[in-house]
Amino acid sequence: HDESTVAYNGPLRADFTFQRVPGDKRTQKIFDATAGLAADNLAAGLWGMVTNAANDWFTLRSDLPESEESQETKEWLDDVTRRMQGAFGANGQRFYARVMELYADLVTFGTGVFYSEEDALTGQVHYSCRHLAECFIAENERDEVDTVFRRFSFTARQAHKRWGDKCHASLLRAIEKEPDRRFTFLHAVMPREDVARGRFDPAGMAFASFYIDVENRLLLSEGGYHDFPYQVPRWSTSSRTRSTAGPAPPSRVTRAV
């Protein structure tokens, strides 16, 4: 369903059921760009109304009545708000560029997967919109997405830069002769069942994180997050299932007719 939808509305976001050769033509089924332009306009509208970089699109407030807030509390909240706005605008406005991809997926497929991760070396937050073909999601008892398994690929050079000598010997050998050879990895994030309260290492974090070299069955790193690092908005969900729908499928039917 997703592959057929994207063929008419956003062919650059395809590759669900098979992988295309880089540079391969993707627009063979498009005879009228109306639906694709409409999807782009809707995504741009969401960006402009929800997360417009030119606006103060969020502020922090305490849970106290405004009359009970001290001046120091208001100043602290205002300072943190500005710091957060600076983080969103840092690194070449990366957040605002990547969140546009999230809105494009949301209006086309009805689901988007957005990942936020702090760089331990620079302190900056890295934002990325993940391709839906990479991701498997699961919900908790409140229908909230709290588990993501993401299967992705890195080149040997990328993997070594991320995990260093923890990488498998076959990958380390590839760095010298085939640095662009791709390897498959799995990132699994799920609720930790036995959180050790009061600890500051991964055992004390609410969500467990594992990076695995799939081909060599090697655990590369184990960590955790205090908050779920994946945001998974959904346009409309079907009852009793995780299936979602966006506004794009009806336009696909119209264009096929």
Side-chain angles (χ1 to χ4, degrees):
H1 175 77
D2 285 337
E3 189 73 50
S4 60
T5 297
V6 77
Y8 294 94
N9 295 281
L12 295 180
R13 304 293 287 175
D15 299 343
F16 280 90
T17 56
F18 60 91
Q19 292 265 337
R20 290 178 172 81
V21 177
D24 189 18
K25 187 175 181 181
R26 296 168 177 260
T27 57
Q28 294 93 329
K29 294 185 178 182
I30 295 182
F31 299 97
D32 180 355
T34 301
L37 291 174
D40 289 343
N41 287 336
L42 178 54
L46 291 173
W47 187 96
M49 291 184 290
V50 180
T51 54
N52 192 325
N55 299 333
D56 292 334
W57 52 275
F58 72 93
T59 56
L60 299 183
R61 292 287 183 268
S62 73
D63 56 359
L64 295 172
E66 186 173 357
S67 59
E68 297 181 14
E69 286 186 354
S70 65
Q71 184 62 29
E72 290 79 7
T73 299
K74 294 178 180 180
E75 290 178 357
W76 184 86
L77 291 170
D78 185 60
D79 178 63
V80 175
T81 299
R82 289 198 302 272
R83 289 173 182 264
M84 292 179 65
Q85 290 171 342
F88 286 128
N91 197 17
Q93 299 277 315
R94 182 181 178 89
F95 168 81
Y96 295 104
R98 294 297 178 263
V99 80
M100 184 65 187
E101 298 175 16
L102 174 69
Y103 294 139
D105 279 353
L106 184 62
V107 302
T108 302
F109 306 114
T111 301
V113 178
F114 197 72
Y115 179 55
S116 307
E117 181 180 42
E118 182 181 6
D119 188 323
L121 296 178
T122 65
Q124 292 184 332
V125 181
H126 174 79
Y127 304 100
S128 61
C129 181
R130 309 313 313 176
H131 197 295
L132 294 180
E134 296 179 351
C135 302
F136 171 85
I137 64 175
E139 302 171 335
N140 61 19
E141 72 281 4
R142 295 183 296 275
D143 299 329
E144 300 167 339
V145 175
D146 66 351
T147 300
V148 170
F149 279 49
R150 178 168 67 91
R151 184 185 176 99
F152 65 100
S153 67
F154 267 169
T155 65
R157 183 179 69 86
Q158 290 172 323
H160 184 257
K161 190 171 181 63
R162 178 66 185 260
W163 296 293
D165 292 338
K166 294 180 180 179
C167 296
H168 191 267
S170 62
L171 188 147
L172 296 176
R173 289 193 297 268
I175 292 174
E176 297 182 2
K177 296 183 179 180
E178 300 176 284
D180 293 326
R181 177 184 168 189
R182 304 196 76 86
F183 292 80
T184 303
F185 301 92
L186 179 72
H187 186 208
V189 180
M190 66 198 78
R192 193 182 297 277
E193 298 297 333
D194 50 349
V195 179
R197 304 297 179 184
R199 292 182 57 170
F200 298 98
D201 61 353
M205 298 180 182
F207 292 91
S209 169
F210 304 94
Y211 278 100
I212 300 169
D213 180 340
V214 175
E215 297 173 24
N216 297 300
R217 300 185 178 183
L218 175 66
L219 177 63
L220 295 168
S221 69
E222 178 178 355
Y225 303 93
H226 292 291
D227 299 297
F228 193 54
Y230 288 95
Q231 292 79 49
V232 188
R234 291 175 288 180
W235 188 275
S236 177
T237 57
S238 302
S239 300
R240 294 181 292 183
T241 73
R242 291 192 301 272
S243 300
T244 60
S251 65
R252 178 184 67 83
V253 174
T254 301
R255 298 178 68 189
V257 173

